[in-house]
Amino acid sequence: AQTVTQSQPEMSVQEAETVTLSCTYDTSENNYYLFWYKQPPSRQMILVIRQEAYKQQNATENRFSVNFQKAAKSFSLKISDSQLGDTAMYFCAFMITSGTYKYIFGTGTRLKVLA
Amino acid sequence: DGGITQSPKYLFRKEGQNVTLSCEQNLNHDAMYWYRQDPGQGLRLIYYSQIVNDFQKGDIAEGYSVSREKKESFPLTVTSAQKNPTAFYLCASSRGHGNTIYFGEGSWLTVV
């Protein structure tokens, strides 16, 4: 079975500090994409960052970066210089790039940025 | 602006009634999706459509139905057969099946 595990249900961080959200996944496939989505209180899911599994270089998007460890099946998200607007639920997901192209989502980590 | 529009934002339904949630996109995306979100759980796929006039069941399709008569529209009907329909419903689309998906703002459905 393909699964995504986010072991931290809730986290908090002081404004301007750095926080890392954990994600592990399980699949026997070799080709897939990994994603982090953000869901603020408005509930709209917003793509934060995407990583192709065949790329060794970790993806970055401004203050957001990932630590992708393929052998360990780990895909953590680092948020630098945290801002109040980063307060949200964060979902990790992966998609197999063959067959059904199905997305598998984790259960989310609720992040609160403190002023 | 391009995007995905879901309506209504909030909907109340009496038990035994069918209700339809609207999803429209002007991104010219071929693929569209419906997800359900419950507290403490990740998103679960209800139905998806790769092209017009075609759709496939996801993991939790029982009690739901969809249609894809137009590329830009993918309405979801929650039927009376759905045992626990109270949830947050998210519509999404992608350029093609296998590409990154983008989401609408969601619809809250409450059964009273």
Side-chain angles (χ1 to χ4, degrees):
Chain A
Q2 294 162 346
T3 59
V4 175
T5 301
Q6 293 180 251
S7 59
Q8 305 150 314
E10 293 187 4
M11 296 187 72
S12 62
V13 63
Q14 288 295 134
E15 196 175 7
E17 294 189 348
T18 296
V19 63
T20 299
L21 308 183
S22 300
C23 173
T24 58
Y25 58 94
D26 187 24
T27 181
S28 58
E29 300 288 333
N30 197 46
N31 297 314
Y32 48 89
Y33 293 162
L34 293 154
F35 306 87
W36 278 98
Y37 283 89
K38 167 185 175 181
Q39 188 177 43
S42 66
R43 298 302 295 262
Q44 183 170 12
M45 296 280 283
I46 301 165
L47 177 67
V48 175
I49 201 165
R50 161 180 147 152
Q51 172 84 42
E52 290 87 348
Y54 64 86
K55 289 187 177 179
Q56 292 186 337
Q57 186 173 4
N58 289 324
T60 62
E61 284 289 341
N62 301 313
R63 298 182 295 107
F64 298 88
S65 62
V66 298
N67 183 4
F68 174 45
Q69 302 290 330
K70 190 172 184 179
K73 296 181 181 175
S74 171
F75 184 60
S76 61
L77 175 69
K78 185 172 81 171
I79 305 174
S80 304
D81 185 25
S82 297
Q83 300 175 0
L84 296 178
D86 295 334
T87 294
M89 281 287 284
Y90 287 82
F91 290 92
C92 178
F94 77 86
M95 176 189 66
I96 307 300
T97 55
S98 64
T100 63
Y101 295 94
K102 183 178 173 181
Y103 272 69
I104 308 294
F105 286 87
T107 54
T109 295
R110 185 176 302 279
L111 176 67
K112 187 169 184 179
V113 179
L114 307 172
Chain B
D1 288 347
I4 302 167
T5 302
Q6 290 187 238
S7 62
K9 179 73 172 178
Y10 300 94
L11 188 60
F12 295 88
R13 186 195 93 175
K14 292 183 178 180
E15 282 193 26
Q17 288 182 338
N18 292 352
V19 63
T20 297
L21 306 179
S22 170
C23 178
E24 304 277 331
Q25 55 96 1
N26 60 4
L27 300 169
N28 200 32
H29 284 176
D30 286 317
M32 297 187 73
Y33 310 82
W34 274 105
Y35 287 90
R36 171 179 170 142
Q37 185 178 25
D38 294 285
Q41 298 192 38
L43 278 65
R44 293 184 291 168
L45 182 65
I46 305 172
Y47 268 97
Y48 67 97
S49 168
Q50 299 185 50
I51 57 172
V52 175
N53 293 322
D54 180 71
F55 49 82
Q56 307 294 330
K57 292 182 179 180
D59 299 319
I60 55 166
E62 185 176 353
Y64 299 97
S65 66
V66 294
S67 63
R68 186 84 188 278
E69 298 176 1
K70 299 186 297 181
K71 186 176 183 177
E72 55 272 19
S73 179
F74 191 42
L76 173 74
T77 297
V78 184
T79 74
S80 56
Q82 169 51 233
K83 301 300 182 190
N84 185 22
T86 295
F88 186 63
Y89 291 86
L90 282 159
C91 179
S93 70
S94 65
R95 183 160 48 88
H97 201 43
N99 293 106
T100 301
I101 60 174
Y102 298 90
F103 289 87
E105 295 182 345
S107 293
W108 284 98
L109 173 63
T110 302
V111 174
V112 296

